[in-house]
Amino acid sequence: MAIRIGNAPCSWGVEFADDPRNPPWQQVLQDCAAAGYRGIELGPVGYLPEDRSQLDDALQKEDLTLTAGVVFQPFHDPDGFADVFKTAERTAKALASQGAQHLVLIDSISARRAPTAGRPAEAEQLSSSEWQGFVERIKTVSKMARDGYGLTVSIHSHAAGFMDFHDELERLMQEVDADLLKLCIDTGHQTYAGFNPINFMDRYFDRLAYVHCKDIDPKIKADVILQRTDFYKACGDGIFCNLGQGEVKFDALHKLLTQRGYQGWMTVEQDCDPLLEVSPLSDAIANREFLASMGF
């Protein structure tokens, strides 16, 4: 099995299942296939149909494979963990029904962290007890998904959450057993956080299960760091650009993945606001063409 390229509903602006701005899910599947991708992520659970036969028919119609699901939830908030767990289990069930393998965990954006995105020296840290609880909640969800649904569970660092910077991801890798929690590299978020995603991937290649492709505009990044811009405004300013237009070294990514023998999915994420003047299909085509030019 060679490296396969997929996309995700967030590339069409789908971040929350019940957002009235969302495009029809059928359109997202059609666009994804038309742009040359062979896989699609679940998106926020409830966006794509949870009825197994309905989703199976829709995926087969477009010749798409369901690749993964993301649990983008506040793992940092102990009071909300019951809802986090319910969402994670619902996601795991939806993935397992389609034979998908990957569940990706992301600590969602925190008001305590958003003001210091991209600036690790200034970011608020979890206390020792908060960190312990945070890790235990990640372990609990990972065990549920692995043992109950046979999924491979990966952690994904994300700007403006409490699993963001190099030292946090490094610490989690050391504290959680590799059999329980794998690694999902996101080239954009880790670049935003100030460390090299390809070097980190190389170091922890034995735990690499899944890859997200995203790029960062270096000029906008430098400006938001200088101006101490928070995460939300940075996104609005266009910090996440089309692949190949930013600072991520995709030639080095291709070299590493091929030399180390990675065989799995690589998913493009081109986050956008569907109400802005964007063309998700055009971006999806451009991103797929760029990756093809890099040898993917």
Side-chain angles (χ1 to χ4, degrees), residues 51-296:
D51 178 81
R52 179 177 181 177
S53 60
Q54 183 184 10
L55 181 55
D56 190 55
D57 289 346
L59 291 169
Q60 287 192 34
K61 179 181 178 182
E62 304 299 339
D63 192 24
L64 290 171
T65 297
L66 188 68
T67 59
V70 173
V71 178
F72 182 67
Q73 292 287 316
F75 286 88
H76 59 267
D77 179 12
D79 296 332
F81 184 60
D83 288 336
V84 171
F85 188 88
K86 288 177 184 177
T87 299
E89 187 162 37
R90 189 176 158 195
T91 303
K93 182 178 179 180
L95 294 172
S97 75
Q98 290 295 326
Q101 180 183 359
H102 297 284
L103 182 71
V104 179
L105 308 185
I106 303 178
D107 183 45
S108 60
I109 298 164
S110 166
R112 296 163 62 189
R113 274 294 183 98
T116 53
R119 301 189 298 282
E122 300 176 26
E124 180 180 348
Q125 303 296 315
L126 293 175
S127 69
S128 178
S129 62
E130 285 178 321
W131 172 264
Q132 290 174 359
F134 178 71
V135 173
E136 285 304 313
R137 289 186 286 277
I138 290 171
K139 286 181 178 179
T140 298
V141 169
S142 299
K143 289 175 183 176
M144 174 275 293
R146 182 194 66 179
D147 300 342
Y149 294 92
L151 300 177
T152 299
V153 187
S154 303
I155 191 68
H156 174 308
S157 59
H158 192 287
F162 278 99
M163 182 51 54
D164 183 1
F165 301 115
H166 182 277
D167 60 334
E168 294 162 346
L169 189 55
E170 180 81 36
R171 184 177 179 184
L172 192 71
M173 290 289 97
Q174 298 300 317
E175 293 187 12
V176 181
D177 191 85
D179 291 337
L180 180 61
L181 188 67
K182 306 298 184 183
L183 176 65
C184 172
I185 288 288
D186 185 295
T187 57
H189 280 285
Q190 293 180 351
T191 301
Y192 191 179
F195 65 103
N196 188 313
I198 298 167
N199 289 347
F200 198 92
M201 181 188 300
D202 190 28
R203 180 175 178 189
Y204 285 100
F205 190 82
D206 60 334
R207 291 180 74 160
L208 181 68
Y210 196 64
V211 178
H212 275 172
C213 280
K214 191 183 271 91
D215 210 347
I216 290 283
D217 185 311
K219 293 182 179 178
I220 295 177
K221 177 187 168 187
D223 184 66
V224 299
I225 297 299
L226 180 65
Q227 301 298 328
R228 290 182 165 78
T229 304
D230 79 2
F231 177 77
Y232 301 102
K233 187 176 187 307
C235 290
D237 289 344
I239 193 168
F240 296 119
C241 58
N242 277 16
L243 303 185
Q245 296 180 5
E247 64 178 279
V248 174
K249 306 299 184 185
F250 287 97
D251 52 349
L253 176 66
H254 180 266
K255 181 178 180 180
L256 174 65
L257 291 178
T258 53
Q259 286 186 345
R260 297 295 298 268
Y262 178 75
Q263 296 186 341
W265 285 99
M266 193 165 73
T267 291
V268 173
E269 289 189 321
Q270 180 60 46
D271 299 342
C272 72
D273 184 331
L275 296 186
L276 297 178
E277 294 184 6
V278 295
S279 174
L281 177 57
S282 296
D283 286 341
I285 292 171
N287 286 330
R288 186 64 193 94
E289 290 176 348
F290 170 76
L291 288 176
S293 76
M294 290 289 101
F296 290 109

